[in-house]
Every structure is written in structure tokens, then in C-alpha cells.
């Protein structure tokens, strides 16, 4: 290997070690890695900027701003309270409803944003019911990662894969959504077995939930109606973006702009809803991974994988599915997918049929995020909220539930992909 290749690998390894250790913020780790590569000349500035996927960043920024405006309407609180009352205050039914709601919103918006909205409402309801919120929060973490797997915009890895492979919103609905629905049905059975008998509340607590007013949760009635209409419109636009010849980022940023116009909201308030740390992490990571591609490391890895499997698409698919899941359980799934995308691109140039491989890393990376608390951004976000509110979801305790569920869901995905391809 050449010196630039060794240095690019070393910088990538150090960045990943810092991300996993959480000694410093992951955005700072990634950006410092990019700066080091620029300073020592492993990659020049133009090449580094060329490796950044601005479509992915545009989708993330646009949807975060969009949701920041929608949040002011009270729509999410309305849905949560209405669901709890429809369940008559029954804690198991509330858990099942919140699992489905979390999965659905994670598919239509994104899982990090969904967790930020659903988590606090869950804690409020559990306090009213006087029961432990941790089982609800763990179930919602799992549901957010599973639901986010279903669509192009549900989970950051899918945004990256869709942008790199030219896959449309409808493609994800066609290939990922069916198995997600099946997995969600299985998970409801699993959660019933795990938590169903343990969830019991008194009559006073039930009356407290039934006394909540979903109408009072609506803070801005005109914005509430506009938000519902816009969510439907944005979903349709994403489904048709291939036919419309519009990049996903254009739709997401356009949706954010329209919401700001029709709501009379201020731009600064919407920008505060963007998780700039996540955006910074992406920027640095794209440069760090791009350096390995620029120096030829990615090509070596791709050639090695093809050689190891003899170019057999089925073996590659299964290896990538389980490899993606297991590694995404240890690392955040975003850097893993950022590393795998150029590898699969190299395989395509070598004549390998890579279409099944995109779905293998999509399902593996998104479902693998349930293997540990560091497996996905949504996990870290909700555990932070829970710990702050006095319901600790620990790094040691979560995998006791999350890892077996991850293995189960990836096994279901394995059977699905074998039947599909």
C-alpha cells in the first residue's frame, strides 16, 4: 500500500475511534479529520468538496426545517393524546399505538425528528399513568429505526443510498416497505411478550389520561390544517420525484420554504430546528471517506470483496446484509454506509450486479441500528432525553433487548431478500 493510502486509513480509523468513544463530539472528530487530510495534502480542497453529497445534506436540512415549522402547530401532541384516549388508557394498547405511530412518522419524516417529538410526549403520558417509561422508550427506539427503513427519507443511510444509486422514493416503498410492515407486525408480538403483562395501571391514572384534551394540544389551528396538507403533498412529491426529474433535496428544501411562507414563520426559528452537529458530521465524514476513495483504498476493498465471494451476487448480498447490521450495531450506521457506497460503486464498474446490494446495506444498516445505543442517531437522541427526564436507558441495558431484536429482524430481511432476488 502507498503512504497516502495508509494515512487515509489511519485518519479514518482515528475519527471512528473518537466517534465511538464519545470523547469529543462526532462532528468535531469528523471535521478535524477532514482538516488533517487537507493540511497534509492527502486530498486537495476541490477534491474534498467534490466528495460531499450535497443532495443528502439538502434533504436533511430541508426536512428538519419543515418539521420545525410543523411542530409549532401541535400536530404531534394531538396525535399522541388522541391515540392514548382511543386506547382507553390501556398501557399495552398505548405502547402498540405509539410503536405504529413512531414507525409511520419515521417513514414519512425521519426517525431522529420523530423521536424528538414522540419521546417527551411518551414520558408525559407515562407520568400521568404512573408507570415506567423505559419499556415505551425502548420500543420506540426500535420502531423508529424499523419505520425509517421503509422510505428514502426515513433514515439518513437511505438518503445517502438513494442519492448515490439514483433510487427513487417509490423504489424504497417497493423494495423496503413490504418487509418493514412484516417486521413491525412481528415486533408487536415481541413487545406483547416482553412487556404486555408487566404494564398495569390504576383507575385514577386512566382517568388522568382520559381527561387530557387533544384539542388543547393544537396550538395553531390554521397551521395544523396546513401541516397535514403539506405532509401529504411532500410524501406524494417524494414518491414522484423520479418522474418529476427533481432531486430529493429540491423537494425537501422547497417544502421547508413553502411551510415558512404559508405559516408566516421566521427563518431563524426554522434554522434552529436543524441539527447542525449532524450536518457538520456529514460534511467531515464525506471528506474523510472521499480521501480513501481518492487514494484507491475503496477500490482495493471492493476488489477484495469481489474476489472473496467469487463475484457471486447472492453471497455478496448476504455478506453485506449481515456485515452492515453487525457493524452498524457497533458503529453509527451513517459512517458505515458512507464507506460502503463507493465500494459498491467500484463493484458495479467491475461488472457486478449491484442492485440487490443496495437493498442489503439499506436493510442491514437501518435494522442494525437497533443493536446498541450507538447504532443510530435516533437511539442516542432518545436516550439523552430519557436520562434527562429520570428514565435512564443505559448503554449496557439497551442491547439486552435491542440486539436480539436486531438479529431477529435481520433474519426476516434475509429470507425476504433471498425470495426477492
Amino acid at each position: 500500500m502507498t503512504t497516502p493510502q495508509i494515512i487515509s486509513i489511519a485518519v479514518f480509523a482515528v475519527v471512528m475511534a473518537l466517534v465511538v468513544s464519545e470523547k469529543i463530539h462526532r462532528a468535531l472528530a469528523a471535521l478535524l479529520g477532514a482538516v488533517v487530510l487537507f493540511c497534509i495534502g492527502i486530498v486537495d480542497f476541490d477534491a474534498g468538496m467534490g466528495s460531499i453529497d450535497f443532495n443528502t445534506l439538502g434533504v436533511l436540512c430541508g426536512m428538519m426545517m419543515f418539521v420545525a415549522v410543523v411542530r409549532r402547530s401541535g400536530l404531534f401532541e394531538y396525535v399522541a393524546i388522541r391515540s392514548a384516549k382511543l386506547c382507553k388508557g390501556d398501557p399495552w394498547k398505548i405502547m402498540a399505538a405509539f410503536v405504529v405511530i413512531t414507525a409511520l412518522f419515521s417513514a414519512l419524516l425521519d426517525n431522529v425528528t420523530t423521536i424528538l417529538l414522540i419521546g417527551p410526549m411518551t414520558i408525559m403520558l407515562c407520568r400521568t399513568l404512573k408507570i415506567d417509561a423505559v419499556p415505551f422508550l425502548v420500543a420506540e427506539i426500535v420502531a423508529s429505526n424499523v419505520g425509517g427503513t421503509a422510505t428514502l427519507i426515513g433514515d439518513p443511510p437511505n438518503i445517502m443510498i438513494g442519492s448515490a444509486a439514483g433510487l427513487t422514493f417509490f423504489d424504497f416503498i417497493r423494495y423496503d416497505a413490504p418487509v418493514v410492515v412484516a417486521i413491525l407486525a412481528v415486533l408487536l408480538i415481541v413487545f406483547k411478550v416482553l412487556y404486555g403483562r408487566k404494564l398495569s395501571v390504576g383507575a385514577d391514572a386512566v382517568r388522568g389520561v382520559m381527561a387530557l384534551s387533544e384539542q388543547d394540544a393544537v396550538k395553531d389551528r390554521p397551521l395544523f390544517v396546513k401541516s397535514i396538507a403539506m405532509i401529504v403533498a411532500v410524501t406524494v412529491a417524494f414518491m414522484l420525484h423520479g418522474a418529476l426529474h427533481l432531486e430529493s433535496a429540491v423537494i425537501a428544501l422547497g417544502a421547508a420554504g413553502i411551510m415558512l411562507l404559508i405559516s408566516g414563520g421566521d427563518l431563524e426559528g426554522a434554522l434552529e430546528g436543524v441539527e447542525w452537529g449532524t450536518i457538520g458530521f456529514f460534511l467531515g465524514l464525506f471528506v474523510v471517506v472521499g480521501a480513501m476513495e481518492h487514494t484507491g483504498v475503496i477500490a482495493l476493498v471492493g476488489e477484495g470483496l469481489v474476489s472473496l465471494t467469487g463475484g457471486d451476487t447472492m453471497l455478496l448480498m448476504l455478506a453485506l446484509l449481515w456485515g452492515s447490521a453487525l457493524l452498524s450495531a457497533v458503529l453509527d450506521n451513517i459512517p458505515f454506509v458512507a464507506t460502503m457506497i463507493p465500494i459498491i460503486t467500484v463493484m458495479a464498474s467491475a461488472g457486478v450486479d449491484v442492485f440487490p446490494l443496495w437493498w442489503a446495506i439499506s436493510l442491514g444498516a437501518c435494522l442494525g441500528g437497533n443493536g446498541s445505543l450507538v447504532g443510530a442517531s435516533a437511539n442516542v437522541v432518545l436516550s439523552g432525553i430519557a436520562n434527562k427526564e429520570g428514565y435512564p436507558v443505559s448503554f449496557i441495558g439497551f442491547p439486552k433487548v435491542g440486539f436480539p431484536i436486531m438479529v431477529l429482524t435481520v433474519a426476516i430481511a434475509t429470507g425476504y431478500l433471498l425470495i426477492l432476488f
Side-chain angles (χ1 to χ4, degrees), residues 50-401:
S51 64
I52 296 173
D53 187 340
F54 287 100
N55 185 56
T56 293
L57 297 181
V59 173
L60 288 171
C61 286
M63 291 308 296
M64 288 175 182
M65 292 170 66
F66 178 82
V67 171
V69 179
V70 172
R71 180 188 296 154
R72 293 192 289 105
S73 71
L75 172 63
F76 302 103
E77 290 86 347
Y78 175 91
V79 171
I81 294 172
R82 182 66 177 159
S83 300
K85 292 177 72 173
L86 286 173
C87 295
K88 306 296 184 184
D90 183 311
W92 158 245
K93 290 180 180 177
I94 291 174
M95 176 182 279
F98 272 45
V99 163
V100 174
I101 290 168
T102 301
L104 181 61
F105 276 133
S106 293
L108 295 179
L109 301 173
D110 71 82
N111 54 6
V112 174
T113 302
T114 299
I115 282 300
L116 283 168
L117 297 166
I118 297 294
M121 182 54 60
T122 301
I123 291 170
M124 182 275 288
L125 286 172
C126 287
R127 280 179 175 155
T128 304
L129 288 168
K130 300 175 183 178
I131 55 175
D132 185 11
V134 171
F136 289 80
L137 298 173
V138 169
E140 287 167 8
I141 287 174
V142 172
S144 73
N145 289 319
V146 171
T149 310
T151 66
L152 170 69
I153 59 172
D155 208 359
N158 281 1
I159 300 173
M160 298 162 69
I161 291 166
S163 179
L167 299 171
T168 66
F169 190 92
F170 183 74
D171 288 330
F172 280 88
I173 294 292
R174 179 181 177 186
Y175 289 98
D176 273 1
V179 71
V180 165
V181 172
I183 287 171
L184 196 60
V186 172
L187 286 179
L188 287 173
I189 297 171
V190 170
F191 291 139
K192 176 68 172 177
V193 173
L194 287 176
Y195 303 124
R197 295 180 180 177
K198 300 176 184 178
L199 300 174
S200 60
V201 296
D204 289 342
V206 172
R207 282 194 290 270
V209 169
M210 297 305 292
L212 294 172
S213 172
E214 62 268 34
Q215 298 301 328
D216 290 345
V218 179
K219 303 165 189 171
D220 185 329
R221 177 67 59 178
L223 181 58
F224 179 86
V225 175
K226 292 172 185 175
S227 296
I228 294 173
M230 280 299 296
I231 288 173
V232 173
V234 169
T235 302
V236 172
F238 273 120
M239 292 179 70
L240 298 176
H241 83 96
L244 296 172
H245 304 292
L246 291 174
E247 292 291 347
S248 303
V250 174
I251 294 172
L253 291 168
I258 292 171
M259 278 303 297
L260 282 166
L261 283 174
I262 65 177
S263 69
D266 66 298
L267 179 61
E268 290 183 0
L271 290 174
E272 288 175 2
V274 177
E275 297 170 48
W276 293 109
T278 299
I279 301 301
F281 175 59
F282 270 108
L283 282 169
L285 183 66
F286 282 135
V287 174
V288 171
V289 174
M292 292 198 296
E293 185 175 10
H294 180 72
T295 57
V297 172
I298 297 296
L300 289 175
V301 174
E303 291 166 5
L305 279 172
V306 173
S307 176
L308 188 65
T309 58
D312 187 295
T313 302
M314 287 299 103
L315 285 178
L316 275 170
M317 182 182 74
L318 295 178
L320 286 175
L321 173 66
W322 283 94
S324 298
L326 293 172
L327 287 172
S328 292
V330 178
L331 300 173
D332 190 299
N333 54 17
I334 293 169
F336 175 79
V337 170
T339 308
M340 290 307 303
I341 284 172
I343 292 174
I344 293 180
T345 303
V346 167
M347 292 180 185
S349 64
V352 176
D353 176 16
V354 299
F355 188 72
L357 307 187
W358 293 120
W359 305 113
I361 64 167
S362 169
L363 290 169
C366 294
L367 297 176
N370 283 323
S372 75
L373 272 185
V374 298
S377 301
N379 307 15
V380 178
V381 169
L382 188 53
S383 67
I385 294 172
N387 292 339
K388 190 180 297 183
E389 295 292 333
Y391 296 100
V393 179
S394 69
F395 281 83
I396 296 175
F398 178 79
K400 293 178 182 178
V401 176

